[in-house]
Amino acid sequence: MRHHHLVASLLSVGLLAEIPLAHANGKSLVFCSEGSPAGFDIAQFTGGTDNDAAEPLYNRLTEFERGGTAVVPGLATHWDVSEDGLTYTFHLREGVKFHSNKAFTPSRDFNADDVLFSFNRMLDRNHPFTQAYPTEFPYFGSMSLDKNIAKVEKTGPHTVVFTLRSVDAAFVQNIAMSFAAILSAEYADQLLKAGKASDINHKPIGTGPFALARYQKDSQIRYKAHDQYWDPSKVKVGQLIYSINIDPSVRIQKLRKNECQVTLNPRPADLAVLEADSKLKVLQAPGYNLGYIAYNVQHPPFDNLKVRQAMDMAVNKQAILESVYQQAGQLAVNAMPPTQWSYDTSIKDAPFDPEKARQLLKEAGIKEGHEFTLWAMPVQRPYNPNAKLMAQMLQADWAKVGLKARIVSYEWGEYLKRAKAGEHDVILMGWTGDNGDPDNWLGTLYSCDAIGSNNAAMWCDPAYDALVKKAKTLNYQEQRSELYLQAQRRLKEQVPITPIAHSTVSQPISAKVQDFKVSPFGRNSFDGVSLTD
């Protein structure tokens, strides 16, 4: 007996065949982005900049509705789930076209082989493509999908079956995330035969509403409308251009001069000016995010709980909220935002107490002037509008208890790469939720499997891990919540991180921009977005 989980799709190739492309006006939309992506093969990366760069290019089997958390059909029109929750059968959309480039013209439409390639290269370390282009798939691994997906099979040209080893209550949401983008198996095969497998990262081919036209590192990314996109109503501009500007003041100037029509992450101090500009709109949404400090517990003395407790209670969070966030957010107490279901409201912060911190450090045998590295991200993120200032404030806070923090930073892609390798002592990090499920916080950021990917604390606690792993296997939210409550308490007791703040997300756009949606997941998506005259 099988449950039939049918999500009705209003979009089919037959229904849309007669609709003319909405981008016929050839307009260009410019997005002022904050940095260069490390690449376009999004399964390799976890940063927001990389996600933004890949977003126009790809589709996934399931998608999140624009501006929301609900799952809707993507390259799968509907799916069935077995009675025991271990088998998912996806029925694929027909007539979907891949992009082309100078070296590749697809000879066929999207089919089950593309799904098999996209997932099997992550599942199988001996996959020929993975052997030719050895890469890590950090998100896939940190969510334990590499361990839990037993196999992916096709039962027809447009039917794919996933078999899991254990129930994953958030599986459909998980594969709606960026890392699960569907790539062309035919293109991959061509690259493999030509000895150019790494081109999949630099010369991407997807099924998304826009295709890559040109990329100039630290300058711009140009995309062109995908003329054969399976949902023409989503393609309303002829060109999409990412203008890369690290400096937030430059991004704001460009927006006000109409040199770009959408930007991101304004400094809180700039909001009043932007809101007063009649040519602009400032969209706002509660922050489904967390800015935090992670202590690398694999580097002494941060393996000592007393040291972590001391550093935690030496941080003047209120001062940081006022100076860094300028009150555009709320103090964080827990390891995920309070808008997340299963959030534990009973957890309280340790008091700000420098004297107690000094005492704990003394008990831990830490000498006055102990030096360590404090890593500060080089870019603005939704969860941290000014990491440099925050690092300077932390440096001053910890100096008051006898610790000497040496601030270091790297280019954003290098910062993330080195952090995953565990080179840091203490690091400023953050997260914007990706799928609306507690596991996306408690599993993705703090589990043992997430070490080497998103677990910046390099923390592995068996008691905590058992709770989080068990919660994923349960189907009922009430049962899962009870385990997540216990996990949050364990994490708070062990202090691998110090939560700082949940920021309010403000997105300034030109008044000419129509139907742009602020994503709760921090994605910048331009399908369905248009420009008026």
Side-chain angles (χ1 to χ4, degrees), residues 87-315:
T87 305
Y88 287 73
T89 303
F90 291 91
H91 304 275
L92 307 182
R93 193 178 300 278
E94 298 185 35
V96 175
K97 311 292 184 184
F98 278 101
H99 306 152
S100 60
N101 60 26
K102 291 180 181 178
F104 174 72
T105 300
S107 67
R108 62 166 177 80
D109 292 346
F110 156 76
N111 66 27
D113 290 331
D114 303 306
V115 180
L116 264 60
F117 166 72
S118 300
F119 282 90
N120 282 334
R121 72 178 184 129
M122 296 189 284
L123 276 172
D124 182 7
R125 288 292 173 187
N126 295 315
H127 191 283
F129 197 88
T130 305
Q131 289 283 303
Y133 180 41
T135 54
E136 297 298 321
F137 303 108
Y139 221 137
F140 194 70
S142 70
M143 301 181 78
S144 301
L145 289 171
D146 56 337
K147 297 180 177 66
N148 197 33
I149 297 176
K151 57 185 176 179
V152 186
E153 304 168 291
K154 69 173 182 177
T155 55
H158 293 95
T159 311
V160 176
V161 179
F162 286 73
T163 303
L164 307 184
R165 292 186 171 90
S166 60
V167 174
D168 182 347
F171 184 68
V172 170
Q173 291 98 310
N174 291 343
I175 62 169
M177 292 160 57
S178 296
F179 74 86
I182 302 301
L183 283 65
S184 166
E186 184 184 17
Y187 181 49
D189 187 54
Q190 177 179 304
L191 294 177
L192 196 58
K193 289 176 180 175
K196 297 180 178 180
S198 64
D199 279 3
I200 206 164
N201 188 33
H202 307 293
K203 300 175 182 179
I205 293 291
T207 61
F210 296 92
L212 182 68
R214 187 167 77 248
Y215 170 43
Q216 188 176 354
K217 185 176 170 61
D218 299 329
S219 177
Q220 63 177 237
I221 313 172
R222 287 182 172 266
Y223 306 87
K224 60 183 179 180
H226 181 19
D227 290 335
Q228 296 180 299
Y229 189 53
W230 54 270
D231 182 1
S233 68
K234 296 289 183 66
V235 189
K236 295 187 175 181
V237 293
Q239 280 195 100
L240 175 62
I241 302 167
Y242 284 23
S243 176
I244 299 168
N245 302 277
I246 294 175
D247 189 335
S249 63
V250 172
R251 296 198 297 267
I252 294 303
Q253 290 170 14
K254 284 178 170 282
L255 181 70
R256 299 191 71 188
K257 292 177 181 178
N258 197 37
E259 293 176 13
C260 63
Q261 291 77 48
V262 179
T263 187
L264 77 174
N265 306 337
R267 294 173 299 191
D270 292 331
L271 284 173
V273 173
L274 295 171
E275 289 168 347
D277 191 329
S278 62
K279 300 188 297 296
L280 305 177
K281 298 182 285 190
V282 179
L283 309 179
Q284 290 191 320
Y288 185 55
N289 59 41
L290 171 67
Y292 63 94
I293 305 161
Y295 308 104
N296 187 344
V297 301
Q298 295 185 8
H299 285 195
F302 310 106
D303 56 340
N304 188 319
L305 176 58
K306 286 187 176 181
V307 172
R308 301 196 301 271
Q309 289 172 327
M311 295 181 72
D312 178 76
M313 64 178 58
V315 175

Side-chain angles (χ1 to χ4, degrees), residues 34 46-51 264-266 268 285-293 320-321 324-326 328-332 337 375-387 390 412 415-416 419 427-434 441 445 454 456 498-506 520-522:
E34 64 179 344
T46 61
T49 301
D50 307 308
N51 279 301
L264 77 174
N265 306 337
Y288 185 55
N289 59 41
L290 171 67
Y292 63 94
I293 305 161
I320 291 174
L321 188 70
V324 175
Y325 295 86
Q326 299 191 18
Q330 66 184 102
L331 287 178
W375 288 30
M377 60 191 71
V379 295
Q380 274 188 296
R381 303 301 301 138
Y383 47 73
N384 191 333
N386 193 335
M390 185 186 291
W412 185 223
Y415 184 93
L416 293 173
I427 190 168
L428 296 185
M429 289 297 279
W431 193 254
T432 298
D434 283 316
W441 299 91
L445 299 183
N454 298 311
T498 292
I500 298 293
H502 311 289
S503 68
T504 301
V505 175
S506 298
F521 306 132

